[in-house]
Amino acid sequence: MPYGISYAGAESDYDSADVFMLGIPYDRTSSFRPGSGQAPFEVRKASYNFEEICFEHGLDLPQLNIFDQGNCESPFLPEDMIEEVKFFMAPAVKSGKFTIAIGGEHSVNIPIIRCFEKNDISLITIDAHLDSRDDYLGTIYSHACVTRRAAEQLGIDNVFALGVRSISREELEREDVVPHITSFDIKEKGMEWAVKKALDSVKNERIYLSLDIDGIDPAYAPGTGTPEPFGLDPMDVKNAIGLIGSRLAGFDVTEVCPPADPSGITSILAARFINEVIAVRSKYLS
Ligand code: MN
Ligand code: MN
């Protein structure tokens, strides 16, 4: 364990773990303000702020066995990051463990999705950005290319983005635009409507949820690399996790940027979302 702390409650060994957790401190393709590499440490630290159970899900939850691998290395080249993440994630996915990753920037999602079989999962992102560029600033593994890479892997009808409010003309005008719902429509029609639309749109039953923390309004999550106003309410995102419910197949939270988060509130929110995912997962395993 490079930093000496593991996630709160992560006391299992690998073999008996239901949940496999990995910190991926990679932030080399960040386009505006870097620093998300420090997030795995800060989010783990924030996890000690909470009770072990989320009482609103019922006080007698069976605790899942959680194994925290610690952080993987953060090589310079994105190609090397891809291999590094796959090295840790692929065996965990293959053995049927529920994986939770703490980024790092959003690009860490690219190798995780590649650990799943093509027809096994669909990807839903919660993100201010559509992240569907072919390449960005010289790499196809940029955090601006996450949904495009997933669409190549899973098919474009197995990718859906929620909370989007920043799209380049290049992304919006192409024929194979990544399916998405804006934060404006979610504000008007509700998260329940939006999640239902997303679940109806994708073809595979199991849903991998990738939370780019900038999907949430910067008033609640200011500590992020590319903050974008008019975002989602954290309670709506909490509800989205519950609505995906039994279909959840894996989770990552990315783009928390501790240098831009002096109060630590964004790391605290990220940890609480991880706990929410674990609580929802427990509910459907019991
Ligand atoms: Mn993103
Ligand atoms: Mn984003």
Side-chain angles (χ1 to χ4, degrees):
M1 183 72 55
Y3 293 113
I5 62 164
S6 51
Y7 200 85
E11 284 157 14
S12 175
D13 57 42
Y14 179 85
D15 286 337
S16 44
D18 309 299
V19 175
F20 175 81
M21 197 174 277
L22 179 67
I24 312 173
Y26 188 77
D27 61 6
R28 312 274 176 149
T29 79
S30 290
S31 39
F32 184 53
R33 48 188 195 200
S36 62
Q38 298 169 38
F41 174 66
E42 292 298 332
V43 173
R44 284 190 181 100
K45 213 167 73 178
S47 70
Y48 289 86
N49 179 52
F50 300 108
E51 295 289 343
E52 274 182 43
I53 51 170
C54 304
F55 80 93
E56 73 275 24
H57 293 288
L59 281 168
D60 55 349
L61 285 176
Q63 292 298 298
L64 292 182
N65 296 316
I66 303 165
F67 172 76
D68 186 345
Q69 171 71 48
N71 290 354
C72 62
E73 297 291 319
S74 178
F76 184 74
L77 292 174
E79 287 78 4
D80 294 335
M81 178 275 287
I82 300 285
E83 292 311 312
E84 174 74 6
V85 173
K86 277 170 30 187
F87 175 83
F88 287 102
M89 274 293 175
V93 168
K94 206 166 180 187
S95 64
K97 297 187 192 302
F98 186 89
T99 66
I100 295 179
I102 311 171
E105 51 177 58
H106 206 176
S107 53
V108 306
N109 173 261
I110 297 170
I112 300 172
I113 295 304
R114 290 182 178 183
C115 294
F116 290 87
E117 297 294 327
K118 183 180 166 51
N119 54 8
D120 184 19
I121 54 158
S122 296
L123 171 68
I124 293 180
T125 66
I126 292 176
D127 197 332
H129 309 92
L130 194 56
D131 284 355
S132 68
R133 288 174 151 101
D134 283 321
D135 56 78
Y136 192 62
L137 300 178
T139 175
I140 61 166
Y141 299 117
S142 164
H143 66 161
C145 308
V146 172
T147 57
R148 184 61 57 199
R149 294 292 88 76
E152 289 164 358
Q153 166 82 4
L154 307 171
I156 196 152
D157 51 0
N158 280 310
V159 180
F160 205 101
L162 294 174
V164 177
R165 52 199 183 275
S166 171
I167 312 180
S168 67
R169 184 181 298 271
E170 158 204 348
E171 292 171 280
L172 198 56
E173 289 182 349
R174 59 191 288 166
E175 216 160 278
D176 57 346
V177 60
V178 168
H180 60 277
I181 293 176
T182 66
S183 61
F184 311 113
D185 282 343
I186 293 174
K187 177 80 180 166
E188 194 186 319
K189 299 179 185 168
M191 187 54 103
E192 204 172 332
W193 166 83
V195 171
K196 187 173 185 311
K197 276 258 241 233
L199 293 176
D200 287 347
S201 165
V202 297
K203 301 291 175 281
N204 290 328
E205 176 67 18
R206 285 173 12 105
I207 304 296
Y208 186 98
L209 179 64
S210 181
L211 172 60
D212 177 332
I213 204 79
D214 70 28
I216 291 131
D217 194 89
Y220 302 104
T224 190
T226 41
E228 188 70 37
F230 308 124
L232 301 176
D233 176 328
M235 194 74 94
D236 278 340
V237 174
K238 180 185 194 293
N239 290 340
I241 294 167
L243 289 163
I244 298 169
S246 63
R247 294 176 64 174
L248 263 179
F251 178 71
D252 60 57
V253 57
T254 64
E255 299 287 348
V256 173
C257 180
D261 191 37
S263 74
I265 192 68
T266 312
S267 291
I268 287 173
L269 185 61
R272 185 59 182 81
F273 283 132
I274 290 174
N275 289 9
E276 188 68 19
V277 164
I278 292 170
V280 166
R281 179 77 183 158
S282 311
K283 197 152 80 173
Y284 290 107
L285 279 187
S286 59

